[in-house]
Amino acid sequence: PTDESVNKIFSSRFNVFFKTRGFQPEAAGVIGPIIQSTIAIYNTLRDSLLPVPHKAHYVFSISDIAKLMDGCTLLPKELSDNKKMYTRIWVHECLRVFNDRLISSEDTAILFEKIKHCVKTVFRENFDSAFEHLGKVDGFVTEYNLRNLTFGDFIEVEGKKFYQEIISFDEFSKQGRAMVDKYVAANPHCPTEVMFFKYSMENICKICRVLGQPRGNILLLGEGGTGRETSARVAAMLKEATFYSAPVSQSFTFQDWRREVKALLREAGGTGSCCVLFLTPETLAVAEFMDDINTLLTNGHIEGLFSVDEKYEITEQVHQYLKASKTEGEKELSPAELYNKFLERCMDNFHMVT
């Protein structure tokens, strides 16, 4: 699609979002700069960073624009009158959607310079002034300083807990430590040793962001023993999610795997809880497990996983949920429609981390 078509599509989505959520009319003024800048970033990366063999994952598509737009809509209407906050969240989402996929300093420099250009020419703000609270090097805000730019909805800031910028890593460490201690006290069989230092907090924030998005899955890169599972487990605690990692044992059979996956899906689709399945290298090495993982990523469900009796229980559970939430009004849904609702909720709330 042309840039004009993409602009129209996402402008309509943004306008509908602001109107239906009761945002102030003035907030709509940020729509143009956000979309124009995002298209500029997308075009630059698509044309400059090609998917060569050692960078095969450098495939940028319209879905990346959609992800970035969705991230910008996470800002609550309480902060919608702060234009600078939309500049900050747009830069943050650029870093998460695009920068986290780049593997060389030369590539990240291309993105960083384009972000600076868009902030200056499209958002009409001085980049160094807008982000001076992140720190400076020789009087300028650098790529390194932007690592301090963090948003989340898992800690309280000024007594409020919604999606907002996390200014103090010290406060994040304090509240995060308290939440982990509370979880471990309630679940003594799941002890978790974690050190809240800057790098670990950055990774935990990134994982939390993905767990808060419908159908979000994340690939964590790193050698064994670098804390990937611990970071994912702590992020699940902060998001009050159910976390499961298959044990590394020859006694853990395919039937055991199916039973655990089934339990997670029933929780994600039936109760609407956030559920996290952490995939270790040992899990991925088992062909039968890998088939199920590919099926879940592709279709969102595994054919024949639930028996007829289990499907009946599931549809009744979803019916009670819809009745209580009144999301479908007075409309009566058939068992097939109720089961499809269950599958939709599974896809939204079931997350895989590896």
Side-chain angles (χ1 to χ4, degrees), residues 212-229:
Q213 296 178 331
R215 312 188 183 199
N217 304 293
I218 187 169
L219 171 65
L220 305 177
L221 299 180
E223 298 289 338
T226 54
R228 291 177 299 136
E229 182 171 353

Side-chain angles (χ1 to χ4, degrees), residues 247-253:
V248 181
S249 170
Q250 291 184 346
S251 63
F252 186 76
T253 65

